[in-house]
Amino acid sequence: MHPELFSIGDFSISTFGLMMAIAFIVASQITAIRMKEEGLDPELAWSLLVYVMLGGVLGAKLYFAIDVHLRTGVPFTQLLFAREGITWYGGLMGATLAGSIGARVHHISVKRFMDSAAVACAVGQSIGRIGCFLVGDDYGRASDLPWAVAFPQGAPPTLETVHPTQIYEILWLLPVAALLWKRRRKSPFLFGEYLALNGLGRIFIEALRVNPRVALGLTEPQFVGVALVVVGVGSWLYFRQHAETSAD
């Protein structure tokens, strides 16, 4: 694994940072294609990228800092301004909120923008997980399976071979992206399908990770996964009913 891509003086560029930048660019390109299909100005995808990037990074850092501060007592500001500590589901909440604000600012439908971004979210998240794999973050429990991997420079380091759960998530999300692409003209709310399928995968993959159980035998990310399924299915049902009502 190669956590550091290169350094300029004392400042290092991580492979995770590179993959996150690639994820945003690729996701924006896919969103632009989808926005054109939705009858929206595709050039706005790049303007909205600024909102999504800022909201995503800020949400990821805030969630991490608040969560770790409450659990460990480490000073909030120390966690907030540390280079490490990017929590994906915090990033999802922040990016969704900021993207919705950006859509309002540019006078486009929030729902249509979210539907345009659904496939991009799954693909971008997959690329981000490549970064997690390269820096040895978010790996799973010890395993002797043939494809198990050790992360001697991981976060934290491990010399034991473990489940490469980052790869498992990629193998879940890419078919999800393909399914969403196939359903993009049929779904009443494509972003809701992304949330539900994302959460479903997280519930099962998280069972192989080492995060502590907090209640009912589930980890915090598994509870987040359940919430994503509920919100995704609930919003999908709402928009399906809304479409049926409009048709009547």
Side-chain angles (χ1 to χ4, degrees):
M1 303 303 106
H2 301 282
E4 183 178 302
L5 189 64
F6 62 87
S7 61
I8 303 173
D10 294 331
F11 186 79
S12 64
I13 304 298
S14 71
T15 47
F16 176 78
L18 174 65
M19 297 312 298
M20 187 165 70
I22 293 173
F24 277 122
I25 293 170
V26 172
S28 294
Q29 183 60 54
I30 295 171
T31 301
I33 294 170
R34 285 285 297 117
M35 287 178 70
K36 186 175 182 179
E37 290 183 339
E38 291 285 331
L40 303 173
D41 181 1
E43 293 301 318
L44 286 178
W46 302 100
S47 300
L48 292 168
L49 170 63
V50 177
Y51 291 88
V52 172
M53 284 182 63
L54 292 176
V57 173
L58 180 60
K61 288 298 298 181
L62 279 174
Y63 192 105
F64 168 79
I66 293 170
D67 179 48
V68 176
H69 171 69
L70 292 176
R71 288 191 290 106
T72 67
V74 176
F76 172 79
T77 52
Q78 177 183 327
L79 294 165
L80 184 63
F81 294 106
R83 286 199 65 185
E84 70 277 3
I86 297 290
T87 304
W88 171 80
Y89 27 91
L92 175 65
M93 289 186 282
T96 301
L97 176 60
S100 299
I101 292 171
R104 288 290 189 186
V105 169
H106 290 279
H107 307 291
I108 64 176
S109 163
V110 173
K111 177 188 178 296
R112 290 170 70 189
F113 171 64
M114 294 174 76
D115 278 341
S116 298
V119 176
C121 286
V123 174
Q125 190 180 343
S126 300
I127 297 172
R129 281 306 183 194
I130 296 174
C132 292
F133 179 78
L134 292 175
V135 300
D137 189 19
D138 289 338
Y139 52 77
R141 293 187 278 105
S143 171
D144 58 1
L145 290 170
W147 55 83
V149 180
F151 295 98
Q153 299 181 65
T158 177
L159 296 178
E160 280 189 296
T161 56
V162 296
H163 284 284
T165 48
Q166 314 97 322
I167 303 300
Y168 298 169
E169 195 160 353
I170 294 169
L171 294 175
W172 170 252
L173 287 168
L174 288 179
V176 165
L179 176 63
L180 294 175
W181 181 263
K182 185 176 181 180
R183 286 187 48 76
R184 69 191 190 280
R185 300 184 189 278
K186 305 172 185 175
S187 174
F189 188 44
L190 199 65
F191 192 76
E193 295 188 19
Y194 161 70
L195 292 178
L197 291 169
N198 189 303
L200 185 64
R202 180 159 291 267
I203 291 168
F204 287 100
I205 293 170
E206 179 65 23
L208 298 174
R209 289 199 173 115
V210 294
N211 290 317
R213 270 54 181 168
V214 295
L216 304 175
L218 301 177
T219 67
E220 182 182 332
Q222 284 178 310
F223 277 108
V224 172
V226 171
L228 290 176
V229 172
V230 171
V231 172
V233 172
S235 59
W236 187 91
L237 290 172
Y238 170 81
F239 283 109
R240 187 184 69 168
Q241 181 63 38
H242 181 76
E244 289 176 352
T245 302
S246 299
D248 292 342

